[in-house]
Every structure is written in C-alpha cells, then in structure tokens.
Amino acid sequence: MASRLLHRLRHALAGDNPGEATTGPEAEQFPESSELEDDDAEGLSSRLSGTLSFTSAEDEEDDDEEDDGEVGPDPLPSGDGASGEDADRSLPPDGQRGSQPLARQLQDFWKKSRNTLVPQRLLFEVTNANVVKDPPSKYVLYTLAVMGPGPPDCQPAQISRRYSDFERLHRNLQRQFRGPMAAISFPRKRLRRNFTAETIARRSRAFEQFLSHLQAVPELRLAPDLQDFFVLPELQRAQSLTCTGLYHEALALWANAWQLQTQLGTPLGPDRPLLTLAGLAVCHQELEDPGEARACCERALQLLGDKNPHPLLAPFLEAHVRLSWRLGLDKRQSEARLQALQEAGLTPTPPPSLKELLIKEVLD
C-alpha cells in the first residue's frame, strides 16, 4: 500500500513539475514498476478472459500455503521426465496460437520499420495462463506467443513457462549484467493470493514487458541465459519424446524450437540449430515423410558449409544420400563428400545415424 501511495504521489508531483520528474530517457523506456494499474489489469483480464483458468474459492484458501516458484519440482525437465502431456502444455492447439490483435500490431510495426537500420525486435504476448495442480506443487503456467519478422499469416512460436522460470532468468542476468539489468524491473513475489485473476493478469503483462525490455538491450539479447530460457526446455522435451518413439508429439516441439531459433538468431553458434534439424529429419523419416526429412538434411548441410568437419556432418551426409536414393534424386555430391571424410579417417564407416547421435546428445 505504501509503495502504491508513493507511486501516485510521484505522478501528482510530475503533473505539477514535469521538468523535475523526468530523469532521462532510460526512466521513460524502463518504467520503475512492472505492476499494472487497476485499469490496465482489468483490460488484460478481459483480453485473456477466454484462456485464463483460475482456482475456485476453495482453492484460494490454499494460497497461504503454496507459493509459485517455491514449492514443487523444477518444471523444466532434463529430458527423462517429459511426456506427451508435457508436449501439450508446451504447444497449445493451433486455435489458441497468438491473437489477431498481435498479428496486426506486428504487421504495422515491421511495415513502419522496414526501411530503417534499427534492429527488428520480437513481440511477446501471454495468450494462455493456467493454474496447474501437480501435487505437491501448484503453480501458474504462462503460455507466450513469440512473433518475429515474417509473413503476417505466419503462426507465432510458443513457449510455456512459470514464475520460477522467469525469476531464475532474472536472477542469472542480474548476476552477470548488473549495469543493464539495473533499469529493468521484475514483478515481486507474493506470500499469498498468487492464483487470483488480478495477480495472474498483472504478472502476464509484467512478463511481456520484461522480455521486451531484455530484447531491447543488445548485450542482454545475446546472453546465453536468455537463449536457454527460450529454447532449451523445448529441445529437452523434444529429445525425450523422440527417444521414446513419440514422433508426432516430438515433431511439433522440434518445429517450434526451430521457429524460436530462427526468430532469435543463433549467437551461440550452429550446434543447436543443427541438433534441431536432426530431430526434424529423424521424426519426418520415422513418420514416412522422406521429402521433408531430405529438406532438413539439405538445410543442415548448407549451415555446415565447407568448414572443418562437424560431428553431425557425416550423419547428415549419410542420411541425405539414403533419402535421395529413396526419392530417386541426385546424391552424387553428398556421396563424394562422405567418401572423402571416410578416406581421411574423419568418420567411421558406416557413420553413426542421426538418431543415434540425437539420443546420445546431452542438452544442458
């Protein structure tokens, strides 16, 4: 209550002395508080009214005992705990992907900035927020649409994260980038009423602003922790589903991870995009779609280029040769490259398959 009164007092003083209230461009770019005013919270609740799931009055009595981000296991599995249900949480049905206002806003944004030299930024929108009961834990799972440059009819990528994931990202970035992070606010923890409509609406808006602010600072935008926040959980779940033979579910996650990396860029190098293409190729091949599997191999070979041999080069060449033969397409160039690697002793004969390498890869 005291902080809110102080906030209103500052606004009142700013109205009387506008010159004294402005402390510089950073103060305007990064507001002091990520919490919404009452009117904003009501507007956001209305915007999310079709997708938010709240607890009943009986559930709200448990708010004192359970706090999101503090109780229960880590929601980001390391690969062995994923299941088809996890895939459903990570990727909602197409009907829930993004919103029309977001698509129109994004289209107008890039139309205005098409001829400028300013880096194009991503847009984030919380499209779904569900209270998840996974005894002994209880938390809110926020699903965000991530949309970058591209055709206006392109579906946005999706990520699903909980408060503790955002808090971990904020804490890691604060430890590494004290200067840039000083101007970026984060929604504070609450000891109770974490599962009310008002709290979820406020946090949804705060998380959108938080990610937008991180993307606006080049030093933070390229931080490995931010890249991991977006991509690593999707890759871990996709790898686990692929290893257990759930190729339909895994394919959706690999495709979503590829779209995320395309929009974010690849400042950490080609390893994760190559692993993602390997996952896509394996799933397409297992689902009897050799054309798409071959296209993934070709894209990976383009990324690899003529650089020093990569551990995935020979497996991609071998898969490309086999798929080209199956489709009756030219395979001579890939065959020659693979033979050269084998003669130079740079890869065994035959090379390991993409699926074998995908299973052995450790994602952390």
Side-chain angles (χ1 to χ4, degrees):
M1 178 64 73
S3 61
R4 181 172 294 183
L5 291 175
L6 179 60
H7 186 64
R8 292 178 177 174
L9 180 60
R10 286 177 177 169
H11 275 286
L13 293 175
D16 297 335
N17 299 291
E20 296 178 6
T22 304
T23 59
E26 289 189 357
E28 181 178 355
Q29 185 179 8
F30 302 116
E32 180 180 355
S33 174
S34 286
E35 297 289 345
L36 300 178
E37 297 297 332
D38 293 339
D39 294 341
D40 293 337
E42 292 176 5
L44 188 64
S45 295
S46 175
R47 175 162 64 86
L48 295 174
S49 60
T51 55
L52 287 177
S53 299
F54 303 118
T55 57
S56 62
E58 179 180 330
D59 294 330
E60 290 182 5
E61 295 177 358
D62 300 334
D63 286 351
D64 296 342
E65 300 179 4
E66 302 199 39
D67 184 20
D68 180 33
E70 293 183 339
V71 180
D74 194 332
L76 304 182
S78 59
D80 27 328
S83 64
E85 183 180 352
D86 289 331
D88 293 339
R89 283 184 188 173
S90 178
L91 265 166
D94 291 342
Q96 295 180 4
R97 288 189 166 199
S99 63
Q100 292 302 321
L102 175 65
R104 288 196 297 269
Q105 178 187 4
L106 183 69
Q107 188 176 10
D108 294 340
F109 173 77
W110 275 301
K111 188 180 297 182
K112 294 176 182 178
S113 62
R114 184 182 300 167
N115 299 321
T116 67
L117 298 178
V118 179
Q120 295 177 336
R121 288 158 57 180
L122 300 177
L123 292 181
F124 305 96
E125 183 180 28
V126 175
T127 60
N128 197 0
N130 291 318
V131 176
V132 178
K133 294 181 179 179
D134 187 15
S137 67
K138 175 182 172 185
Y139 57 88
V140 180
L141 192 68
Y142 299 87
T143 297
L144 291 99
V146 183
M147 186 174 288
D153 59 344
C154 180
Q155 292 287 356
Q158 300 275 338
I159 61 172
S160 293
R161 303 290 183 266
R162 56 189 280 188
Y163 181 91
S164 58
D165 302 325
F166 286 96
E167 185 186 39
R168 186 184 305 110
L169 172 65
H170 180 254
R171 184 172 61 252
N172 291 341
L173 292 178
Q174 268 193 326
R175 186 166 54 246
Q176 301 172 46
F177 306 96
R178 292 184 178 274
M181 288 297 295
I184 298 180
S185 56
F186 187 79
R188 61 186 178 274
K189 271 189 176 181
R190 292 175 178 267
L191 296 179
R192 54 183 303 174
R193 300 185 63 81
N194 284 292
F195 306 106
T196 63
E198 181 183 8
T199 298
I200 293 176
R202 288 176 181 272
R203 283 185 173 176
S204 296
R205 177 59 177 158
F207 290 149
E208 293 173 356
Q209 293 176 344
F210 174 65
L211 293 178
S212 296
H213 291 169
L214 294 180
Q215 282 288 315
V217 181
E219 189 177 4
L220 300 175
R221 185 168 61 243
L222 302 178
D225 281 289
L226 184 59
Q227 298 288 319
D228 286 348
F229 172 83
F230 282 112
V231 179
L232 187 57
E234 317 307 308
L235 294 179
Q236 290 173 333
R237 295 182 187 121
Q239 182 190 43
S240 178
L241 291 172
T242 304
C243 293
T244 54
L246 298 174
Y247 298 113
H248 279 288
E249 295 86 347
L251 180 60
L253 288 173
W254 287 121
N256 188 59
W258 174 257
Q259 192 171 0
L260 281 168
Q261 292 171 85
T262 301
Q263 294 174 354
L264 294 167
T266 55
L268 301 182
D271 287 351
R272 283 184 180 172
L274 287 172
L275 185 69
T276 306
L277 289 170
L280 287 168
V282 168
C283 290
H284 281 302
Q285 185 174 343
E286 295 292 339
L287 295 172
E288 297 298 327
D289 192 352
E292 284 295 329
R294 183 178 183 273
C296 292
C297 292
E298 287 189 335
R299 197 172 302 167
L301 292 174
Q302 291 173 359
L303 282 178
L304 287 165
D306 297 326
K307 300 177 182 178
N308 294 331
H310 189 279
L312 284 172
L313 176 57
F316 271 119
L317 287 171
E318 187 272 337
H320 188 263
V321 169
R322 181 165 34 81
L323 292 166
S324 298
W325 177 83
R326 181 177 175 182
L327 294 168
L329 300 175
D330 184 21
K331 58 183 175 62
R332 289 171 295 179
Q333 184 176 358
S334 296
E335 211 167 28
R337 289 185 66 185
L338 180 59
Q339 184 177 355
L341 289 175
Q342 291 172 338
E343 291 176 352
L346 298 175
T347 186
T349 303
S353 68
L354 288 175
K355 189 174 182 179
E356 289 173 346
L357 289 182
L358 199 62
I359 293 174
K360 295 178 181 177
E361 183 70 22
V362 178
L363 287 168
D364 51 19

